[in-house]
Amino acid sequence: MTLRPAPGDDRDAIRVGMLGYGFMGTAHSNALKTLSYMFPDGPRPDLRAIAGRSEDAVRRAATRFGWEQYTTDWRDIVADPDIQVFDNVGPDAAHFEPTLAAIEAGKHVVCEKPLATTVAEAARLVDAAEAAGVKNLTCFNYRFVPAVRLAHDIIANGDLGEIYSASFRYAQEWRTDPEAELPTWTGALSVIGCHAVDQARYLVGELDSVSAILSNPVTSADRAEPIDTVASIVQFSGGATGDIGASLIAPGRRNRLGWEINGSKGSLVWDLENLNVLKAFTRTGGPLDGFADVIVNESQHPLVGAWWPSGHILGWEHSHVNMLAHFLAAVADGGEVGPEAATFADGLAAAKVAEAITRSSETGERTAVS
Amino acid sequence: MTLRPAPGDDRDAIRVGMLGYGFMGTAHSNALKTLSYMFPDGPRPDLRAIAGRSEDAVRRAATRFGWEQYTTDWRDIVADPDIQVFDNVGPDAAHFEPTLAAIEAGKHVVCEKPLATTVAEAARLVDAAEAAGVKNLTCFNYRFVPAVRLAHDIIANGDLGEIYSASFRYAQEWRTDPEAELPTWTGALSVIGCHAVDQARYLVGELDSVSAILSNPVTSADRAEPIDTVASIVQFSGGATGDIGASLIAPGRRNRLGWEINGSKGSLVWDLENLNVLKAFTRTGGPLDGFADVIVNESQHPLVGAWWPSGHILGWEHSHVNMLAHFLAAVADGGEVGPEAATFADGLAAAKVAEAITRSSETGERTAVS
Amino acid sequence: MTLRPAPGDDRDAIRVGMLGYGFMGTAHSNALKTLSYMFPDGPRPDLRAIAGRSEDAVRRAATRFGWEQYTTDWRDIVADPDIQVFDNVGPDAAHFEPTLAAIEAGKHVVCEKPLATTVAEAARLVDAAEAAGVKNLTCFNYRFVPAVRLAHDIIANGDLGEIYSASFRYAQEWRTDPEAELPTWTGALSVIGCHAVDQARYLVGELDSVSAILSNPVTSADRAEPIDTVASIVQFSGGATGDIGASLIAPGRRNRLGWEINGSKGSLVWDLENLNVLKAFTRTGGPLDGFADVIVNESQHPLVGAWWPSGHILGWEHSHVNMLAHFLAAVADGGEVGPEAATFADGLAAAKVAEAITRSSETGERTAVS
Amino acid sequence: MTLRPAPGDDRDAIRVGMLGYGFMGTAHSNALKTLSYMFPDGPRPDLRAIAGRSEDAVRRAATRFGWEQYTTDWRDIVADPDIQVFDNVGPDAAHFEPTLAAIEAGKHVVCEKPLATTVAEAARLVDAAEAAGVKNLTCFNYRFVPAVRLAHDIIANGDLGEIYSASFRYAQEWRTDPEAELPTWTGALSVIGCHAVDQARYLVGELDSVSAILSNPVTSADRAEPIDTVASIVQFSGGATGDIGASLIAPGRRNRLGWEINGSKGSLVWDLENLNVLKAFTRTGGPLDGFADVIVNESQHPLVGAWWPSGHILGWEHSHVNMLAHFLAAVADGGEVGPEAATFADGLAAAKVAEAITRSSETGERTAVS
């Protein structure tokens, strides 16, 4: 035999444009490139164009990740009729306007969390996307960690019984450093707290009300969102109670989104720093009952099949790969984005919870989630 | 040589009377007997008399533990001028009256938690003890776990810096069992929640206000205290915020009182199911920073010296032994009971927090701790 | 009612004499005093006499623990016809002669590990005890940790299937300290390694052969037993293979006897620093298979019933209490000491393994355990 | 602005040909594609051609991963003068001949472990590579896990002091399943044991001698390499002793390569199932000494800089990406492959240890590593 040219990839392409080239731009670019071959039965993303503020930086990003074109004006991407998906990984303040424009241009839309900086804007995006009939995704990527998905499925199947209580907390530490740069747009609630809120909604269900206290022992109060920590207690619509917290000033907590859920039939515990492991207690009545360290990396587990054999564990970035593979498949075959993934409706719901948390902290009253 | 009679123990005896012979009666009887020889430089308790409702049971308990006398009427103990210390380990409903009577009889008093079933009763006990000038102890025994004491000392020394946030939860599971007997006097707040409250006060400081939700998914609402779970958020007087929770319906949580405290210089994490280990993060800036599993069983650690060498770990009961050794020493030498141990003032403070939690759950409002 | 005198304890007394008042003397004295009331259905030990080299020290120990008499000459105890049990917790070099004399005086005998310093002496003790028909116990106390007993029962019942491999290691750290006092009689094999050997035999079964390397990087070679570390591989008679190790120079390992056992149906893992927890993997085929942290402190678990409720964990010393309660019950009712407890035959078997390890290290050859 | 075409990637390309398209073919293809953009300052691999036995499968793999050409005959790749690097991820039996041919054709060579099935073949590959002056890599990818690299650097810097003892074990479970397919070429020593051997050499140093027992309780003895478990003890040239083990029949051990290293200044513990965490004990003498869970994912840690921020953990595959990025950089700039990566000399050294283990198991004698 001799070397023969490989046949081209004849899968349908989904033409993607992206806004943003920072940390999340790298994570999404990597995800688009990786899912192309790790999900060979799914659609093939075509990295059509990337936009960003610095011309030098966006050009370099385009070359680095193989985006065919670049621009400093996201409107160029929105205006390109060829582009089917608009992936907005820009800064929080740049979530609303470009995403709305992309929807109005008929594009399917991906938006990093938080979906918008106000409930009103989030609601407008939901309405616009529904009116336009476009697929939409809020990047609550932790729904696509296999251990989280397994927990969701167990709870949804009733295998944990009635949910009694649930506790969620996302803790990081970088703001404890007095030298750390404090971006204008950040606070514990919008940067990380919203992930805790989405996990609560995804795993346990809708929230009726919250009581909350926000604090800012490090960040001065004259900032737009001077929130270092979030403490809140919640009433779920389904009857469970619990708490949702966040902190950017928890020394040693590198990136710890964690939760514990107690139901009538068992308990589940998980955290992001050890993301492959679900700690699970279910009662057999035998002498070996105890919390099991389930390494959620077996062929029978959800979201694992595309990857490696038993015990060859996944990392943080795989949640993005799994999430975007799911979304592009929905775009390609007309399937649903939710409830596996968070839609814009979920982004709006998280914004409403955040608003109720903020209001409760100000008033001291238990506050209904509208 | 020949066998010679051992000299008698010539230490001052502290004459003790006890009310109660159940689980806590066993724990305290064991503690009194054990501290006698494990703390050879402390006073020697003299187990003078034990009281309990069932004559058969109290007689058997007296013989079993070596109490010299027994009675079915605690008033006999209160009336005995010889008895110096009254140790009340009876059921919650029997905390107030006998303890008050013992104080009025001039005895030093030990009372299991909760100190009383109302704030008013707790306050009256505090006042009476102060007026009588008797030593008093509320049995928040977990202050005497070496890992907890070490954490306290680190925080008190300022080695954790400013405390930013703190989370406390006591979870058990026995009420998930529909067959479990439900004592009339119990609820998650008084049975275990008060321990979480005391840990919060002991480690972080006084509480200004709380917001809370109580729930009773298992226990019917017609019971006196139909509380299965407690969720609350708290504002500490010192500026920290946090949450305090409790559950009697957390499957797999055998006996898990746990907390996490984040300060400007580090974080501490502990739980009762693994009580010898303090998880501690302090920042050196070097490559090996991480949460350390500190086995608090070294000679340099507090509350360990009376016991075994490095790594020969202690169990749950040792907290009672350490606590009663401390109290009897204060009785013997006139030293202070607090702040190492919880006095009746601490029992009152915990009752006030519990009351605020209950009221906040009813009103939905952030409630000051009076 | 009035205070009435408690009836005396009318249980049969077992009259005990002890040699030694150091660390192990304290542990055994505590055990004898504690078992008396924590095992109210068992026999009542009568602490008749204690012997030790320093008159001052032994007198103080007698008073402290309530031994009725004391002596500086253990022969006084052996000669006392009233004493039924001789508990030898003296230094290793004082194990053989006094124990033999006690046997020859018809006493039941307890001896701390190692049973003797040579196989020949251990064998003579076994023969003597058999000839005299006295109960005998080698203090491999870790057989009486509930998690270890549970593991034993699971393996013995066949619930772990065929045992494939097993790994045992006892690691401490104190000899890494150049300032630490080095007793003349100690080495990693006799001080701690013998516990690892006994766990191997107790849990998996007899050993056919060993290959070993001993090392002494810290301790100079001119000492009697200059052994800092032990590494060995073993062939069990039942077909399993594995390894047995020990180290006195493992920084951070405060007191870590640990093992892992892999069978055809599952795996068990345990360590002494976290002694209440058995890590257990058994296969159900479901999605939640994983190593469970079994807190072996439930009423259904072995060796727990005398103690506290669920999750109120035990410490190191409880293994001694459980062990001596078992032995004294065998003395009282004529029951068997083994196989739950280690007899002198087990002490001899451990000595033979130790001898084979030593010889293999010298010759480099796989060495049969005689 | 308008969308502008992104400039092409003008980095030097390294033209790669690969043999194999199974599990490891996927891992290496993914690594080559990923390193191209995650290491933007390194060389750009050009995926020139892939070879495999099944024409259908190799053609599909080529299209899937973007290999330009495919063939069923690896000789086509070796014969192509354009190809600079030959990456052999074929089955063990196909390691020797194709790799040798590639060397003789002047190509730089990558070979999955084990380098060869005999010491003689491994030695011939080493000699050939040296004679040809080509870069060579044995794929002991776990050297490129950040936690492992950090441990290596700590030990190499002397920060762990003199190494006293070290224990290595690689355990999996799939052969416990009687239905599992047993490939002809596999056994615990060659499939996974060699990784444990390489970790021992990489972290502690060369081995002088071994004593070993191999067992095959599941696999019948008439197979080429009927090894289910490996137990061995080792003498390191530097003075440390320890053990190296492997098992394919350890239930619940999904993919657990683990080790513990004790030095005079501290101890390090790691395992692959939780690969981001290095457990580290170093002595400060303060009250918070304990094994720290170091999440090796900080910017100051080795091999992390190309990836994500603090606490956004990596998975198994990243070790391959890091490894191939290192190798291709050495090819591009003429740098050294070792000692960071394993060269063919390391593959040979591992083969010699494996041979000594096998021989010792047969003879029962401590066996020098030639």
Side-chain angles (χ1 to χ4, degrees), chain B:
Chain B
M1 194 169 178
T2 59
L3 292 176
R4 301 189 183 170
D9 191 331
D10 58 1
R11 292 179 293 169
D12 288 341
I14 306 279
R15 295 176 299 277
V16 180
M18 180 180 283
L19 165 57
Y21 49 71
F23 166 30
M24 277 301 139
T26 300
H28 281 229
S29 293
N30 171 70
L32 293 170
K33 296 178 79 67
T34 303
L35 71 88
S36 185
Y37 53 82
M38 293 306 287
F39 292 80
D41 299 330
R44 175 175 60 83
D46 188 350
L47 281 63
R48 195 56 70 95
I50 184 169
R53 276 171 297 190
S54 155
E55 181 164 355
D56 255 25
V58 73
R59 192 197 313 109
R60 279 199 307 274
T63 299
R64 177 179 173 190
F65 295 109
W67 293 93
E68 294 158 33
Q69 306 165 91
Y70 70 94
T71 175
T72 56
D73 187 350
W74 54 263
R75 287 170 190 83
D76 295 333
I77 291 179
V78 168
D80 185 339
D82 225 36
I83 290 177
Q84 300 165 274
V85 169
F86 182 73
D87 184 358
N88 188 341
V89 293
D92 291 10
H95 284 183
F96 177 68
E97 188 189 354
T99 302
L100 184 62
I103 292 169
E104 290 170 350
K107 301 193 188 314
H108 304 291
V109 278
V110 173
C111 187
E112 259 301 325
K113 40 56 55 183
L115 176 57
T117 55
T118 65
V119 166
E121 288 182 350
R124 196 156 153 217
L125 290 175
V126 169
D127 292 344
E130 189 171 335
V134 298
K135 303 290 178 194
N136 49 91
L137 172 76
T138 303
C139 291
F140 290 127
N141 55 298
Y142 300 125
R143 293 187 179 203
F144 285 84
V145 172
V148 172
R149 176 63 52 88
L150 176 60
H152 172 270
D153 292 351
I154 287 169
I155 294 169
N157 291 340
D159 291 342
L160 213 66
E162 180 188 350
I163 304 304
Y164 291 151
S165 59
S167 176
F168 302 84
R169 188 181 192 225
Y170 200 150
Q172 294 182 343
E173 64 173 346
W174 50 274
R175 206 171 258 194
T176 45
D177 177 1
E179 307 296 313
E181 186 195 355
L182 299 183
T184 54
W185 45 277
T186 66
L189 191 52
S190 56
V191 179
I192 55 176
C194 62
H195 276 300
V197 168
D198 186 66
Q199 292 276 299
R201 291 185 61 254
Y202 179 58
L203 293 166
V204 180
E206 296 300 335
L207 281 73
D208 269 358
S209 65
V210 302
S211 300
I213 312 180
L214 308 180
S215 80
N216 60 329
V218 171
T219 306
S220 69
D222 61 355
R223 296 178 63 86
E225 193 194 339
I227 303 169
D228 297 322
T229 80
V230 176
S232 74
I233 49 174
V234 302
Q235 174 73 55
F236 290 93
S237 308
T241 55
D243 52 84
I244 297 178
S247 174
L248 293 169
I249 52 174
R253 295 311 190 192
R254 306 306 196 183
N255 188 29
R256 190 175 182 98
L257 169 62
W259 41 253
E260 170 164 349
I261 300 172
N262 306 128
S264 56
K265 294 185 181 172
S267 295
L268 299 175
V269 179
W270 174 82
D271 80 80
L272 181 59
E273 290 178 350
N274 190 16
L275 64 87
N276 293 276
V277 172
L278 179 66
K279 292 181 185 285
F281 179 88
T282 49
R283 201 181 305 281
T284 70
L288 294 181
D289 281 355
F291 276 87
D293 280 341
V294 182
I295 304 175
V296 186
N297 202 61
E298 299 295 299
S299 57
Q300 69 172 288
H301 289 139
L303 299 172
V304 169
W307 302 99
W308 316 109
S310 174
H312 293 70
I313 64 169
L314 303 184
W316 168 82
E317 75 211 44
H318 296 78
S319 58
H320 287 280
V321 186
N322 286 333
M323 178 182 67
L324 290 177
H326 170 82
F327 180 76
L328 293 186
V331 168
D333 63 17
E336 294 299 318
V337 173
E340 289 90 347
T343 62
F344 278 11
D346 294 298
L348 170 60
K352 287 180 177 176
V353 174
E355 190 190 55
I357 284 174
T358 304
R359 209 163 58 234
S360 173
S361 180
E362 291 162 3
T363 65
E365 289 176 13
R366 189 180 300 159
T367 302
V369 177
S370 61

Side-chain angles (χ1 to χ4, degrees), chain A residues 290-325:
Chain A
F291 276 86
D293 280 340
V294 182
I295 304 176
V296 186
N297 201 61
E298 298 296 297
S299 57
Q300 69 172 291
H301 289 140
L303 299 172
V304 169
W307 301 101
W308 316 109
S310 173
H312 294 69
I313 63 169
L314 303 184
W316 168 83
E317 76 209 45
H318 296 79
S319 59
H320 287 280
V321 186
N322 285 333
M323 178 182 67
L324 290 176

